[in-house]
Amino acid sequence: MPYIPHTPAEIREMLDAVGAPDVEALFAEIPAALRPRSFDLPKGATEMAVRAAMEKLSAKNRIDLTSFLGGGFYDHYVPAASDLLLSRGEFYTAYTPYQPEASQGTLQAIFEYQTAVCRLMDMECSNAGVYDGGTALYEALMMAVRHTRRKKAVVSETISPIYRIVLATYTKNLHLDLVVVPHKNGLDDFEALTAAVDGDTAAIVVQNPNFFGSVQDFTALFDHAREKGAVSVISCYPVLQTVLKTPGAMGADIATAEGQSLGLPLSFGGPYLGIMTCKKSLVRQMPGRIAGRTKDAAGRTGYVLTLQAREQHIRRQKATSNICSNQALCALRALINLCLTGNEGLTRQAARSIENANYAAWKLSSIPGVQLLNEAPFGNEFVVVLPINAKQAVRSLMDGGIVPGFPLGRYYPGLSNALLICCTEKHDRADIDRLARRLENAL
Amino acid sequence: MSTVFSKSVPGREGVWPDEPKTAPIDFIPQHLLREGDAGLPSLSELDVVRHFTALSRKNYGVDSNFYPLGSCTMKYNPKFTEEVAALPGFARLHPLTPQLPGGGDMSAGCLEVMHETERCLCEITGMAAFTLHPMAGAHGELTGALMMAAYHADKGHKKTKIICPDSAHGTNPASAAIAGFEVVTIESKDGIIDPAALAAVIDDETAGVMMTVPNTLGLFERHLPEIVALCRKVDALLYYDGANLNAILGKLRVGDAGFDVVHLNLHKTFATPHGGGGPGSGPVGVSERLIPYLPISRVQKDEAGRFSLSYDHPKSIGYVAPFYGNFGVVLKAYAYILRLGREGLIRVSESAVLAANYLRARLAEAIEVPYNRICMHEFVASAAKLAAEKNVRALDIAKALLDKGYHAPTIYFPLIVKEALMFEPTETESKDTLDQFVADLLDILAQAETDPEAVRACPTSLPVGRLDETYAARAMEITDDL
């Protein structure tokens, strides 16, 4: 039997030690009436057969197209060394570091991860990661609600619409008032956001670059929020953080991010990494695991999970959050990737992505009938408005081997002709020229 | 060991992409750009490789050490599933693909994996439908609690409470509270739920009961039928914490037993590596009456055998995750199910339960096992006597085990046993390993009688000894910059 080492003779010896006549006797407490009505699964198969079946399934996915899909999830290059280091069984097959002396590898890596993301986001404190960027944003909102004891949150419509739906799902039974401030041509409506943040507001929630790719400065808005006693929450794209004005410099209280772009495969949506950072004053409200540095009796430096008094395994229903796992392996992957590229490498990755996107925007907007949604500066992603429905354009380009981007009409009904286009350092000018040529032909 | 930041040497080159022809300042005005660099380390590839290799050697994983960590099901993770998850057709597919026009066909392989995994999980648990979206067990609990809330709201019920027995996982009450419910705790009797205690608190305002079966003592909840009947009477939904499914494959189906919601921890029963604390995957199964409230999207297969995602479910609780759960983890679990098949999965539980009972029987001679009867996949011992007589506590025994090359069992959990040590050997450990473990643990217990000081001094063979956790909480050095 695969992976089970017990021989019939050993099974007999073990049963004798237990005093059971047979294995079935071990399940005698489950009454006959509760036994399964069926357990109709296929017969087991060899590793070779299962592997072949899975290869066949993977081949049904189309990854041979040149893709400009982004929307918060990006195909960046991952150095080979990162996969190989990650696959070491001591990391890969470990559990949560409940026994710190036997888990210094995981704990020091978490500590280093916390340091790296704090530096990247220019913030003071970080946890060891939560499920994904959407969860991180929701947990940030709840931190603000607990901290301020207020029940209203002002959310810009320019944050990922996917995250907005997640926030609505989680807060439905909590009597929170989510005020969504509409976008203005793909840009944040600063006037309306400022007006909406008042003395009852727990949090202001924004994103940089926003979902349309635009790069903005929220400093004044965050200043206003501070005056009103509200918590400023910003969701970021981590690869661009070596280049863009940081959450810390803007005065954000909590900065979150989807860590997928830091070396994690797209993998059809997960596992990803929710990055959560905050100011020191809010750290006791931050959910999830945090590693801290300390010493043993002999004075040797070591690491432990700390501030655990907030957690579900101690506080049960009074816990800060119900989250139990922490995506440690994904955090490790991000850390290794950040170390391999370093400051210079990540900056180049960001600059190349921005360069490619700006070239693409220039190229596409010179096609007759195609224009940029707005004139604001952007990072590696931008929106073009087509003379035809964007879904129709996507369909016809896909037939020619290109996924030109994401049609925005799905989440922004007024923008059915708008297409969100992303570039990374993996694109080259030839890819972009081909995109422009095909789009021009399709119109 | 020094941190990766202190090893940084300015000017040293890592893995760099080509230099761009332009700079961000050519496109983005100065006031929107970062001042100063981010302070990431400058290292060579070999520096990074040595650093993380050295770190890995300070860790215990299942690949290197026996890990009898109760309630965590740390069994062997087959290696071929890693190759499966890394296949470019899966690893490189963008999650927005199925939301494009014609995108269902472009992601047909992934959608088929999801569809088939849901079908397998339905058959394994006897539930009517599954969602793969929740990204961990506790996330599944929250998803379940949100669906319970949506069901009652839709029926016009005023339900404010969820009942959690003290023998349930600690995340259950936390998840119920996060979903907006008031939590009522009931005490166990003889290690299992007492139907009389439940009858005393269950009422019309009870939205549901969250149970862990087998419970945290490793015991089967013998009064299940009475508990189901009590719930039916007030239309309370019954939630099954399926984290311990490793004990009951082919022996009990949650759906057949009358439960309405169950979450599974795929990383446990279906053997995907947990990576030092995640990722996991916590699919949720529901009975017929909860299907309308499942999160969106849902995978569909039409008569022609084509797959797509559907979003038009007006009673759905909405998105619990941006996409479709931790697909990479689901993929490994699916490959594991295919590999073992029906007989293999049944054998998993039989062998896991046999191994736990064998270890219990062998250890019961030397240490108190408060509920020393047939257990499921795990059992709880108590060091209370040793603590009282020799001042050697569960924690000390745990640290002594680390010195002998084992990861320690779960300690001080469940809270209802004093000086608890919870052992879960799993089905993948050989009898030789279990025998050696028993011999080593007996050595430790013998030493605790003759030289308790030595046991309290453990561990002595690891990179660090016992760490000052009070200092860590007070000083809060949580980055390298303080």
Side-chain angles (χ1 to χ4, degrees):
Chain A
M1 196 54 65
Y3 320 121
I4 299 173
H6 313 140
T7 66
E10 287 170 332
I11 291 172
R12 190 61 261 163
E13 284 175 58
M14 290 161 83
L15 284 168
D16 289 345
V18 174
D22 53 27
V23 170
E24 199 43 53
L26 303 173
F27 296 89
E29 282 212 356
I30 306 178
L34 288 185
R35 290 308 175 106
R37 286 179 207 147
S38 89
F39 201 68
D40 185 20
L41 294 157
K43 211 169 163 300
T46 61
E47 180 175 315
M48 187 166 82
V50 178
R51 168 77 200 248
M54 299 303 280
E55 271 175 25
K56 227 165 142 180
L57 280 169
S58 79
K60 292 185 183 178
N61 294 324
R62 295 288 306 275
I63 54 158
D64 54 326
L65 285 65
T66 304
S67 175
F68 294 88
L69 262 187
F73 311 91
Y74 304 101
D75 183 20
H76 285 291
Y77 181 73
V78 181
S82 105
D83 270 350
L84 283 170
L85 287 170
L86 199 77
S87 66
R88 288 188 66 91
E90 303 90 331
F91 284 136
Y92 217 97
T93 66
Y95 201 72
T96 306
Y98 289 139
Q99 296 288 339
E101 301 89 342
S103 310
Q104 285 300 299
T106 292
L107 285 161
Q108 184 171 331
I110 290 174
F111 178 84
E112 292 177 356
Y113 162 83
Q114 289 166 186
T115 306
V117 296
C118 279
R119 289 185 180 191
L120 195 58
M121 310 280 262
D122 193 13
M123 298 292 286
E124 292 168 340
C125 301
S126 161
N127 65 12
V130 292
Y131 308 134
D132 76 299
T135 309
L137 197 59
Y138 152 72
E139 293 287 354
L141 172 61
M142 295 311 292
M143 282 172 71
V145 168
R146 284 193 299 274
H147 181 72
T148 60
R149 296 165 193 258
R150 297 174 181 176
K151 294 226 147 191
K152 175 180 155 187
V154 176
V155 179
S156 176
E157 201 190 10
T158 68
I159 74 161
S160 165
I162 298 169
Y163 291 178
R164 252 193 295 125
I165 303 174
V166 174
L167 295 185
T169 300
Y170 287 140
T171 55
K172 201 168 178 184
N173 304 318
L174 302 179
H175 313 291
L176 292 186
D177 182 13
L178 291 187
V179 178
V180 176
V181 175
H183 73 93
K184 244 170 125 178
N185 231 9
L187 296 170
D188 289 78
D189 185 341
F190 282 94
E191 219 170 288
L193 284 166
T194 307
V197 176
D198 56 24
D200 294 328
T201 307
I204 166 84
V205 182
V206 297
Q207 179 175 320
N208 190 47
N210 71 18
F211 189 70
F212 303 86
S214 295
V215 174
Q216 307 187 81
D217 183 357
F218 294 96
T219 308
L221 182 63
F222 292 170
D223 283 344
H224 171 72
R226 193 174 312 108
E227 275 168 35
K228 297 288 177 191
V231 172
S232 302
V233 178
I234 185 166
S235 174
C236 301
Y237 169 32
V239 169
L240 293 193
Q241 291 311 309
T242 52
V243 165
L244 300 183
K245 183 166 179 178
T246 61
M250 290 185 204
D253 297 304
I254 306 175
T256 65
E258 171 52 68
Q260 175 273 325
S261 53
L262 298 174
L264 276 70
L266 283 164
S267 190
F268 203 55
Y272 286 173
L273 168 65
I275 293 175
M276 279 196 91
T277 60
C278 67
K279 284 190 174 156
K280 211 167 177 181
S281 55
L282 286 167
V283 69
R284 284 172 204 278
Q285 295 293 349
M286 185 157 60
R289 301 207 161 101
I290 298 174
R293 185 155 57 191
T294 185
K295 293 207 182 307
D296 69 2
R300 287 175 293 195
T301 295
Y303 302 86
V304 293
L305 290 180
T306 192
L307 303 184
Q308 294 193 75
R310 314 151 300 144
E311 289 197 52
Q312 25 65 34
H313 59 270
I314 295 173
R315 297 257 293 164
R316 293 175 76 93
Q317 65 266 33
K318 294 192 178 109
T320 299
S321 123
N322 73 322
I323 285 188
C324 189
S325 55
N326 71 340
Q327 305 298 97
L329 195 72
C330 303
L332 177 65
R333 202 192 263 267
L335 171 68
I336 293 172
N337 198 54
L338 287 171
C339 291
L340 283 169
T341 54
N343 221 49
E344 188 71 20
L346 195 64
T347 307
R348 283 191 183 185
Q349 205 173 20
R352 293 261 306 181
S353 304
I354 294 169
E355 178 179 75
N356 279 337
N358 278 274
Y359 175 71
W362 171 75
K363 196 82 191 173
L364 296 180
S365 59
S366 51
I367 299 170
V370 177
Q371 46 182 276
L372 296 174
L373 179 64
N374 58 51
E375 295 299 315
F378 54 88
N380 72 324
E381 215 164 5
F382 60 96
V383 178
V384 291
V385 182
L386 308 176
I388 59 169
N389 186 296
K391 272 164 86 172
Q392 190 192 328
V394 168
R395 192 179 270 281
S396 74
L397 263 75
M398 269 169 31
D399 290 340
I402 295 177
V403 183
F406 189 71
L408 287 181
R410 182 185 181 92
Y411 293 108
Y412 298 93
L415 293 175
S416 53
N417 285 12
L419 189 63
L420 179 66
I421 296 170
C422 131
C423 293
T424 71
E425 78 284 355
K426 286 175 86 171
H427 292 100
D428 59 30
R429 294 218 163 178
D431 294 331
I432 296 165
D433 291 342
R434 200 155 59 91
L435 166 69
R437 232 174 15 250
R438 294 286 166 81
L439 187 64
E440 188 161 15
N441 291 340
L443 298 178
Chain B
M1 190 177 135
S2 52
T3 68
V4 75
F5 298 96
S6 59
K7 293 175 179 173
S8 174
V9 178
R12 207 169 269 181
E13 181 171 339
V15 184
W16 290 2
D18 279 347
E19 194 137 20
K21 293 181 185 68
T22 57
I25 188 73
D26 297 338
F27 308 106
I28 301 171
Q30 184 72 52
H31 74 278
L32 294 173
L33 296 178
R34 180 171 188 140
E35 283 176 30
D37 80 41
L40 299 171
S42 299
L43 297 165
S44 70
E45 184 169 325
L46 179 58
D47 291 339
V48 178
V49 169
R50 290 243 170 96
H51 178 76
F52 287 99
T53 302
L55 278 188
S56 76
R57 293 168 68 178
K58 297 180 167 208
N59 239 28
Y60 282 13
V62 176
D63 283 3
S64 48
N65 302 73
F66 176 34
Y67 229 97
L69 192 60
S71 210
C72 299
T73 312
M74 293 298 284
K75 62 188 187 186
Y76 174 69
N77 309 124
K79 300 303 174 200
F80 85 103
T81 60
E82 300 307 316
E83 285 187 352
V84 167
L87 290 169
F90 293 129
R92 290 193 47 213
L93 195 66
H94 196 290
L96 284 171
T97 308
Q99 299 185 25
L100 297 172
D105 291 340
M106 288 177 60
S107 42
C110 285
L111 297 182
E112 186 170 341
V113 167
M114 287 163 56
H115 185 266
E116 292 306 305
T117 306
E118 287 183 14
R119 250 177 31 137
C120 288
L121 297 180
C122 283
E123 183 58 28
I124 288 167
T125 57
M127 302 307 282
F130 252 88
T131 173
L132 303 174
H133 292 210
M135 290 179 276
H139 199 208
E141 294 172 17
L142 177 58
T143 304
L146 291 172
M147 280 192 273
M148 286 155 79
Y151 167 84
H152 289 305
D154 191 29
K155 292 271 173 293
H157 296 156
K158 193 179 173 296
K159 301 274 196 179
T160 53
K161 296 188 287 195
I162 281 187
I163 298 172
C164 296
D166 59 359
S167 59
H169 287 142
T171 43
N172 289 182
S175 298
I178 299 290
F181 289 103
E182 180 198 330
V183 176
V184 179
T185 306
I186 54 167
E187 276 182 35
S188 312
K189 193 174 156 192
D190 200 19
I192 56 175
I193 296 175
D194 174 14
L198 180 59
V201 296
I202 198 165
D203 60 17
D204 286 338
E205 290 183 1
T206 306
V209 177
M210 294 179 87
M211 295 174 64
T212 302
V213 190
N215 67 24
T216 51
L217 290 168
L219 301 177
F220 183 71
E221 292 287 354
R222 250 181 292 178
H223 306 298
L224 259 187
E226 290 124 282
I227 295 166
V228 172
L230 280 171
C231 288
R232 291 280 184 270
K233 243 165 67 187
V234 294
D235 200 12
L237 297 162
L238 201 52
Y239 185 100
Y240 186 108
D241 182 319
N244 295 343
L245 201 76
N246 214 42
I248 57 156
L249 293 165
K251 305 295 177 187
L252 175 81
R253 292 204 315 173
V254 181
D256 296 349
F259 284 86
D260 296 290
V261 196
V262 57
H263 87 262
L264 309 179
N265 293 55
L266 292 189
H267 55 278
K268 296 185 181 184
T269 309
F270 302 101
T272 65
H274 205 45
S281 172
V284 173
V286 293
S287 61
E288 203 73 47
R289 56 181 171 156
L290 286 179
I291 289 178
Y293 313 101
L294 281 167
I296 41 177
S297 58
R298 302 200 50 211
V299 195
Q300 287 185 330
K301 185 180 182 179
D302 68 14
E303 279 158 17
R306 289 173 71 172
F307 296 93
S308 61
L309 293 176
S310 68
Y311 290 82
D312 188 16
H313 302 278
K315 291 184 176 179
S316 164
I317 56 168
Y319 285 17
V320 296
F323 297 107
Y324 329 106
N326 280 339
F327 179 77
V329 180
V330 170
L331 198 52
K332 293 177 201 179
Y334 179 54
Y336 177 85
I337 292 169
L338 293 183
R339 171 91 173 91
L340 270 74
R342 180 181 189 275
E343 300 307 320
L345 290 176
I346 292 173
R347 193 71 69 83
V348 161
S349 286
E350 291 181 344
S351 304
V353 172
L354 175 62
N357 277 287
Y358 177 66
L359 198 58
R360 177 186 56 80
R362 295 284 320 270
L363 288 181
E365 297 157 24
I367 189 165
E368 192 200 350
V369 177
Y371 302 91
N372 191 21
R373 55 183 204 236
I374 297 288
C375 63
M376 302 302 276
H377 63 308
E378 62 192 1
F379 66 95
V380 182
S382 167
K385 192 161 158 275
L386 213 48
E389 290 171 4
K390 299 285 174 186
N391 195 23
V392 172
R393 305 190 57 201
L395 180 72
D396 303 313
I397 297 170
K399 302 303 183 193
L401 279 168
L402 301 181
D403 260 343
K404 298 218 183 252
Y406 302 104
H407 192 281
T410 295
I411 50 174
Y412 302 107
F413 184 82
L415 306 172
I416 48 186
V417 172
K418 277 189 188 147
E419 296 294 328
L421 291 146
M422 183 197 255
F423 296 93
E424 180 178 14
T426 81
E427 74 280 7
T428 57
E429 296 298 335
S430 68
K431 181 171 173 294
D432 310 333
T433 303
L434 300 182
D435 287 339
Q436 188 59 52
F437 180 73
V438 169
D440 287 331
L441 187 57
L442 293 185
D443 274 356
I444 293 168
L445 295 172
Q447 191 182 29
E449 296 289 343
T450 56
D451 187 5
E453 201 67 36
V455 179
R456 280 197 296 273
C458 294
T460 56
S461 65
L462 291 170
V464 290
R466 293 196 204 181
L467 292 155
D468 187 345
E469 301 196 18
T470 314
Y471 170 83
R474 206 180 51 234
M476 237 178 62
E477 279 186 49
I478 58 174
T479 69
D480 211 13
D481 299 320
L482 292 166

